[in-house]
Amino acid sequence: MKVLGIETSCDETGVAVYDDQLGLLGHELYSQVALHAVYGGVVPELASRDHVRKAAPLIDSLLQRIEVAPEGLDAIAYTAGPGLVGALMVGAMLGRSLAYGLGIPAVEVHHMEGHLLAPMLEDQRPTFPFLALLVSGGHTMLVRVEAVGDYQVLGESLDDAVGEAFDKTAKMLGLPYPGGPELAKLALTGDPSRYSFPRPMVDRPGLDFSFSGLKTFALNTLAKSAATSQDKADIARAFEEAVVDTLFIKARRALQETGLGSLVVAGGVGANQRLRDKLDTLDAAVFYPRPAFCTDNGAMIAYAGMQRLLAGNAMGLAVAVHPRWSLEGLGR
Amino acid sequence: MKLLAIDSATEACSAALWLDGEIISRFELAPRRHTELLLPMVDAVLAEAGLQLPQLDALAFGRGPGSFTGVRIATASVQGLAWAAGLPVVPVSTLAAIAQGMIDAQGAETVACAIDARMGEVYWAQYCRNARGVAELVGDEVVVPPVEVPLTPELKAWHAAGTGWGVYADVLRERLDSQAVDIDGERLPDSREIAKLAVDAFSRGVAVTPEQALPVYLRNKVTHQRGGKL
Ligand SMILES: Nc1ncnc2c1ncn2[C@@H]1O[C@H](COP(=O)(O)OP(=O)(O)OP(=O)(O)O)[C@@H](O)[C@H]1O
């Protein structure tokens, strides 16, 4: 069986075909990052306009490249939330109408479920149950994953998501948008012993996060410095260390509290090398999706869609999107 | 000729199936419920005719102007339906659909259409009825403040229609030198007229591939300077 996955929840148009026997047959991604960079953040209307221009041609070129005819598809999966409402509607209507036109089922996918299950696309894949650390531009979560659809959120950010904190701090340091990877690059030349940043909420019990204080701390440190390029690199380094350490401490605590032996790291910040190096020292088997599947992509939606299809979650013709959508209420 | 038209560009949501001059249609005033209603409407008109998509000759859609999100709902839907069924697509102006409605309902010869575009502007275009009884654009479609709508002096005795007339009747009437004979400030685009216009256009060779079926927003300045909000 082949499922076409469509992702349009934010600023990436992603499409992919997953086959339950053969695995991932192919995927394509169109990133709007350059489009939004001049505005210093995602402009929702521009994102929607781009999705409606790009999604259909992307599907067409993917299917031609992997030599799958439209009639060869068995279902269509689309991201129904959470995300930008207008952007979600494009992928949802396109996906639902494609499925209707082909006479095949359509399934809704929860974007974060896509991220959680992304490591399943790799050869080295975890077995259930596992702990997931979801670190993206919009989310920071520790999730106990019992099985597909059975998720318990153990902790999440009370304010900024970790990727957001990276981006905002990077902007403050004068780095281009999206600043996460830029900040990580700058941190390479920073002196780790120069500044010491707090590790927010680590001395309190629980698994929640807070990152907005770190951003403020970075701002104050910058204001007190001469703001030379070395000062900025040192601040970037201290900020990154503090974030990585905080994530590490909470992940370790979650592994201890749950007794789980494997950790899955998903979401864009999972591409951060220092975070990976640190998490690899945990007493657990740590799994990462390949970098392309850490950030938004169609492959994870096709995979999650296949699981939803197998669980019998096909949709009717009335389409709805869910800009805010809890992961825990999903069900199997 | 068998053609299916859909529209969700304004408060209205509709689908119409053209079967050699006969029309089966659904229409609802349903702000914010377009994603929910559009495909069930498509399914209903096809079921009533006992037809499947691949048995049709073409699809059509209201390509705008209108609500940005609404226009994209119809656009994404028509792309998916057309691609799946291997059908060509005829994009139809929602302003032209309103004009066609006035021609068919009131026998109008000339129609000045205005859709409320919010932010103190209207989507505006003028049409005359051509020899085939079809609304034909005179001048350009524009988005402008009502006091600035462009006029075609040669044409007289306007019928006027669209929500822009509902909101700005006085300003627009003055602008037209009180030549509007009949004003329908509530008229919305309907897929019945979109189907009719599309059949005419298709017979003259107008059609695009599914990927080329795209919105016409008219309003293209949607951001302010760096860091600005919508
Ligand atoms: N090497 C890196 N170091 C730190 N942050 C990074 C790195 N690479 C990417 N990021 C950050 O990851 C984020 C993007 O991740 P992703 O695409 O998963 O998130 P999103 O789509 O914005 O959010 P969500 O998936 O929650 O809706 C951005 O904030 C980016 O700065």
XYZ file of all heavy atoms in Angstrom, chain A residues 254-314:
441
model
N 13.607 12.495 32.813
C 12.436 11.798 32.260
C 12.739 10.310 32.058
O 11.896 9.453 32.326
C 12.015 12.435 30.945
N 13.953 10.011 31.602
C 14.330 8.598 31.418
C 14.330 7.884 32.768
O 13.826 6.761 32.882
C 15.717 8.505 30.764
C 15.781 8.845 29.280
C 17.233 9.029 28.822
C 15.100 7.762 28.432
N 14.876 8.555 33.775
C 14.920 7.953 35.109
C 13.519 7.734 35.656
O 13.188 6.659 36.147
C 15.714 8.848 36.076
C 17.215 8.694 35.920
C 17.999 9.841 36.548
O 17.424 10.811 37.040
N 19.331 9.737 36.510
N 12.679 8.751 35.533
C 11.328 8.662 36.105
C 10.458 7.624 35.404
O 9.602 6.997 36.015
C 10.643 10.038 36.068
C 11.238 11.001 37.097
C 10.559 12.367 37.096
O 9.548 12.546 36.376
O 11.054 13.251 37.829
N 10.634 7.467 34.101
C 9.786 6.533 33.359
C 10.402 5.150 33.255
O 9.707 4.187 32.938
C 9.556 7.024 31.916
O 10.840 7.178 31.291
C 8.815 8.349 31.888
N 11.706 5.067 33.473
C 12.389 3.794 33.309
C 12.529 3.373 31.850
O 12.865 2.223 31.556
N 12.276 4.282 30.937
C 12.381 3.939 29.515
C 13.846 3.881 29.095
O 14.690 4.590 29.645
C 11.640 4.974 28.662
C 10.110 4.977 28.834
C 9.499 6.201 28.155
C 9.512 3.698 28.263
N 14.142 3.033 28.119
C 15.532 2.812 27.721
C 15.897 3.464 26.404
O 17.067 3.488 26.026
N 14.908 4.004 25.659
C 15.281 4.679 24.414
C 14.693 6.073 24.333
O 13.596 6.342 24.812
C 14.880 3.900 23.160
O 14.135 2.789 23.448
N 15.490 6.933 23.725
C 15.107 8.328 23.549
C 15.126 8.661 22.062
O 16.092 8.374 21.361
C 16.097 9.242 24.277
C 15.915 10.749 24.042
C 14.660 11.258 24.725
C 17.143 11.530 24.527
N 14.019 9.272 21.605
C 13.935 9.745 20.236
C 14.015 11.262 20.254
O 13.342 11.900 21.055
C 12.597 9.280 19.606
C 12.212 10.164 18.451
C 12.700 7.826 19.192
N 14.880 11.829 19.434
C 14.995 13.281 19.372
C 14.449 13.742 18.023
O 14.907 13.284 16.982
C 16.463 13.726 19.516
C 16.549 15.251 19.543
C 17.081 13.136 20.776
N 13.436 14.602 18.060
C 12.824 15.032 16.798
C 12.602 16.534 16.799
O 12.619 17.176 17.845
C 11.497 14.306 16.600
N 12.396 17.106 15.615
C 12.209 18.551 15.476
C 13.494 19.221 15.047
O 14.592 18.672 15.220
N 13.360 20.430 14.502
C 14.475 21.136 13.874
C 15.696 21.324 14.744
O 16.826 21.229 14.260
N 15.501 21.579 16.033
C 16.650 21.810 16.913
C 17.450 20.513 17.111
O 18.617 20.546 17.498
C 16.190 22.424 18.259
C 17.364 22.739 19.166
C 15.391 23.699 18.016
N 16.821 19.392 16.790
C 17.510 18.105 16.843
C 18.698 18.047 15.894
O 19.540 17.155 15.990
N 18.768 19.008 14.978
C 19.915 19.072 14.066
C 21.143 19.649 14.776
O 22.255 19.556 14.260
C 19.564 19.936 12.848
N 20.947 20.244 15.939
C 22.064 20.896 16.651
C 23.103 19.874 17.114
O 22.811 18.961 17.880
C 21.519 21.676 17.851
C 22.604 22.476 18.542
O 23.385 21.937 19.318
N 22.664 23.762 18.243
N 24.329 20.050 16.643
C 25.377 19.053 16.877
C 25.754 18.940 18.354
O 25.949 17.854 18.878
C 26.623 19.382 16.045
C 27.632 18.245 15.991
C 27.003 16.943 15.490
O 26.276 16.929 14.498
N 27.243 15.828 16.199
N 25.836 20.102 19.035
C 26.224 20.059 20.437
C 25.166 19.324 21.269
O 25.490 18.594 22.200
C 26.460 21.471 20.972
C 27.549 21.548 22.006
C 27.843 22.971 22.421
N 28.474 23.760 21.375
C 29.777 23.699 21.085
N 30.569 22.872 21.724
N 30.291 24.456 20.146
N 23.902 19.517 20.899
C 22.823 18.808 21.590
C 22.968 17.295 21.371
O 22.858 16.500 22.293
C 21.457 19.292 21.082
C 20.237 18.577 21.676
C 20.128 18.831 23.181
C 18.940 19.003 20.983
N 23.253 16.921 20.138
C 23.417 15.497 19.826
C 24.575 14.877 20.607
O 24.433 13.793 21.180
C 23.654 15.311 18.321
C 22.411 15.567 17.520
C 22.617 15.268 16.052
N 21.335 15.354 15.381
C 20.927 14.528 14.419
N 21.726 13.588 13.981
N 19.748 14.654 13.886
N 25.701 15.600 20.620
C 26.868 15.071 21.327
C 26.556 14.855 22.799
O 26.938 13.846 23.393
C 28.053 16.032 21.179
C 28.564 16.091 19.743
O 28.179 15.201 18.953
O 29.315 17.022 19.405
N 25.844 15.796 23.370
C 25.529 15.716 24.797
C 24.526 14.575 25.075
O 24.707 13.798 26.019
C 24.953 17.062 25.255
C 24.656 17.155 26.727
C 25.888 17.570 27.518
C 25.592 17.576 29.011
N 26.752 17.971 29.790
N 23.496 14.495 24.267
C 22.478 13.463 24.496
C 23.046 12.062 24.292
O 22.583 11.093 24.894
C 21.265 13.686 23.581
C 20.444 14.952 23.882
C 19.346 15.132 22.831
C 19.830 14.908 25.280
N 24.067 11.968 23.441
C 24.687 10.665 23.206
C 25.366 10.119 24.461
O 25.656 8.920 24.537
C 25.712 10.760 22.060
C 25.018 10.767 20.702
O 23.840 10.335 20.644
O 25.630 11.203 19.715
N 25.627 10.982 25.444
C 26.256 10.513 26.682
C 25.229 9.952 27.670
O 25.584 9.460 28.733
C 27.034 11.651 27.395
O 26.089 12.615 27.882
C 28.012 12.335 26.453
N 23.934 10.032 27.320
C 22.886 9.490 28.196
C 22.973 7.972 28.259
O 23.405 7.328 27.295
C 21.497 9.881 27.671
C 21.015 11.306 27.932
C 19.780 11.587 27.092
C 20.721 11.512 29.413
N 22.511 7.447 29.363
C 22.484 6.001 29.512
C 21.201 5.461 28.861
O 20.288 4.997 29.528
C 22.517 5.658 31.015
C 22.641 4.152 31.226
O 23.043 3.461 30.268
O 22.333 3.697 32.339
N 21.119 5.604 27.554
C 19.934 5.178 26.804
C 20.309 5.065 25.334
O 21.312 5.639 24.902
C 18.805 6.206 26.968
N 19.517 4.315 24.590
C 19.729 4.278 23.150
C 19.059 5.521 22.574
O 17.878 5.746 22.808
C 19.100 3.021 22.559
N 19.843 6.349 21.858
C 19.297 7.609 21.353
C 19.122 7.521 19.832
O 20.037 7.108 19.118
C 20.204 8.795 21.722
C 19.531 10.107 21.333
C 20.504 8.782 23.212
N 17.927 7.905 19.368
C 17.608 7.818 17.938
C 17.295 9.197 17.375
O 16.583 9.979 18.000
C 16.385 6.922 17.725
C 16.583 5.515 18.184
C 16.355 5.171 19.523
C 16.989 4.536 17.301
C 16.543 3.863 19.954
C 17.171 3.219 17.725
C 16.953 2.883 19.056
N 17.832 9.461 16.184
C 17.528 10.718 15.503
C 17.026 10.397 14.105
O 17.565 9.509 13.454
C 18.781 11.566 15.314
C 19.547 11.859 16.575
C 20.594 11.032 16.977
C 19.223 12.968 17.346
C 21.308 11.309 18.128
C 19.933 13.248 18.498
C 20.974 12.412 18.886
O 21.676 12.684 20.017
N 16.057 11.174 13.624
C 15.771 11.068 12.193
C 16.933 11.725 11.449
O 17.657 12.536 12.039
C 14.504 11.910 12.011
C 14.082 12.368 13.364
C 15.228 12.180 14.299
N 17.116 11.405 10.178
C 18.138 12.114 9.400
C 17.780 13.607 9.415
O 16.611 13.955 9.597
C 18.206 11.558 7.981
C 17.048 11.984 7.088
C 16.966 11.166 5.808
N 16.381 9.852 6.053
C 15.933 9.046 5.077
N 16.032 9.396 3.812
N 15.414 7.881 5.379
N 18.794 14.481 9.258
C 18.540 15.925 9.394
C 17.343 16.424 8.575
O 16.560 17.237 9.060
C 19.845 16.556 8.907
C 20.876 15.525 9.228
C 20.211 14.189 9.054
N 17.186 15.923 7.360
C 16.083 16.393 6.504
C 14.718 16.062 7.105
O 13.720 16.704 6.782
C 16.199 15.780 5.116
N 14.671 15.036 7.978
C 13.391 14.657 8.579
C 13.258 15.173 10.014
O 12.305 14.852 10.710
C 13.180 13.145 8.531
C 13.108 12.597 7.127
C 13.242 11.228 6.879
C 12.893 13.436 6.043
C 13.181 10.714 5.589
C 12.834 12.940 4.740
C 12.978 11.582 4.520
N 14.262 15.943 10.471
C 14.123 16.641 11.753
C 13.214 17.834 11.572
O 12.336 18.108 12.378
C 15.484 17.138 12.245
S 16.443 15.859 13.067
N 13.421 18.584 10.488
C 12.564 19.733 10.209
C 11.317 19.243 9.474
O 11.184 18.063 9.165
C 13.318 20.769 9.355
O 13.969 20.073 8.310
C 14.351 21.498 10.184
N 10.409 20.171 9.201
C 9.144 19.795 8.571
C 9.389 19.108 7.234
O 10.251 19.527 6.457
C 8.279 21.044 8.366
C 7.812 21.615 9.693
O 8.027 20.963 10.731
O 7.221 22.705 9.680
N 8.619 18.069 6.975
C 8.792 17.306 5.733
C 7.559 16.479 5.444
O 6.714 16.268 6.326
C 10.021 16.392 5.856
C 9.831 15.336 6.936
O 9.310 14.256 6.677
N 10.206 15.651 8.170
N 7.433 16.006 4.220
C 6.274 15.217 3.836
C 6.409 13.753 4.237
O 5.407 13.062 4.440
N 7.647 13.283 4.378
C 7.871 11.863 4.652
C 7.237 11.439 5.979
O 6.594 10.395 6.086
C 9.369 11.564 4.655
N 7.409 12.280 7.006
C 6.861 11.920 8.314
C 5.323 11.916 8.274
O 4.686 11.159 9.005
C 7.385 12.873 9.399
C 6.886 14.304 9.270
S 7.696 15.375 10.497
C 6.629 16.833 10.423
N 4.762 12.754 7.408
C 3.300 12.805 7.293
C 2.800 11.558 6.550
O 1.784 10.957 6.918
C 2.847 14.093 6.567
C 3.374 15.334 7.312
C 1.327 14.149 6.411
C 3.020 15.413 8.792
N 3.537 11.148 5.520
C 3.171 9.930 4.794
C 3.264 8.723 5.731
O 2.379 7.856 5.741
C 4.081 9.745 3.581
N 4.330 8.679 6.546
C 4.495 7.548 7.467
C 3.381 7.525 8.515
O 2.724 6.506 8.734
C 5.866 7.590 8.163
C 6.026 6.434 9.118
C 6.440 5.186 8.642
C 5.682 6.555 10.460
C 6.525 4.105 9.499
C 5.763 5.479 11.329
C 6.183 4.249 10.840
O 6.246 3.176 11.685
N 3.184 8.669 9.183
C 2.139 8.735 10.206
C 0.773 8.459 9.582
O -0.086 7.802 10.178
C 2.150 10.095 10.895
N 0.587 8.937 8.353
C -0.672 8.700 7.638
C -0.910 7.216 7.399
O -2.032 6.720 7.527
N 0.165 6.507 7.059
C 0.041 5.055 6.860
C -0.424 4.383 8.155
O -1.304 3.507 8.142
C 1.389 4.480 6.412
C 1.425 2.968 6.288
S 0.322 2.353 4.970
C 1.355 2.628 3.514
N 0.159 4.787 9.288
C -0.238 4.202 10.574
C -1.705 4.512 10.867
O -2.452 3.663 11.348
C 0.642 4.748 11.715
C 2.133 4.601 11.487
C 2.516 3.201 11.027
O 2.100 2.205 11.609
N 3.284 3.123 9.952
N -2.117 5.745 10.565
C -3.511 6.164 10.783
C -4.453 5.374 9.872
O -5.547 4.985 10.276
C -3.662 7.662 10.508
C -2.988 8.519 11.552
C -3.880 8.643 12.764
N -3.139 8.780 13.998
C -3.645 8.489 15.208
N -4.875 8.048 15.321
N -2.936 8.626 16.283
N -4.004 5.153 8.664
C -4.814 4.387 7.708
C -4.996 2.953 8.208
O -6.102 2.415 8.217
C -4.135 4.389 6.342
C -4.866 3.638 5.232
C -6.126 4.390 4.822
C -3.964 3.449 4.017
N -3.877 2.368 8.644
C -3.929 0.987 9.127
C -4.827 0.875 10.367
O -5.446 -0.149 10.612
C -2.520 0.475 9.442
C -1.601 0.350 8.214
C -0.171 0.014 8.640
C -2.128 -0.697 7.232
N -4.894 1.981 11.139
C -5.745 1.987 12.328
C -7.206 2.300 11.981
O -8.062 2.339 12.862
C -5.212 3.004 13.332
N -7.461 2.558 10.691
C -8.846 2.759 10.263
C -9.387 4.162 10.481
O -10.586 4.348 10.700
N -8.496 5.164 10.385
C -8.931 6.541 10.662
C -9.262 7.357 9.411
O -8.873 8.512 9.307
C -7.845 7.293 11.427
C -7.718 6.803 12.848
O -8.714 6.607 13.527
N -6.511 6.585 13.299
N -9.976 6.802 8.445
C -10.268 7.554 7.225
C -11.307 8.645 7.477
O -12.176 8.520 8.324
C -10.756 6.610 6.137
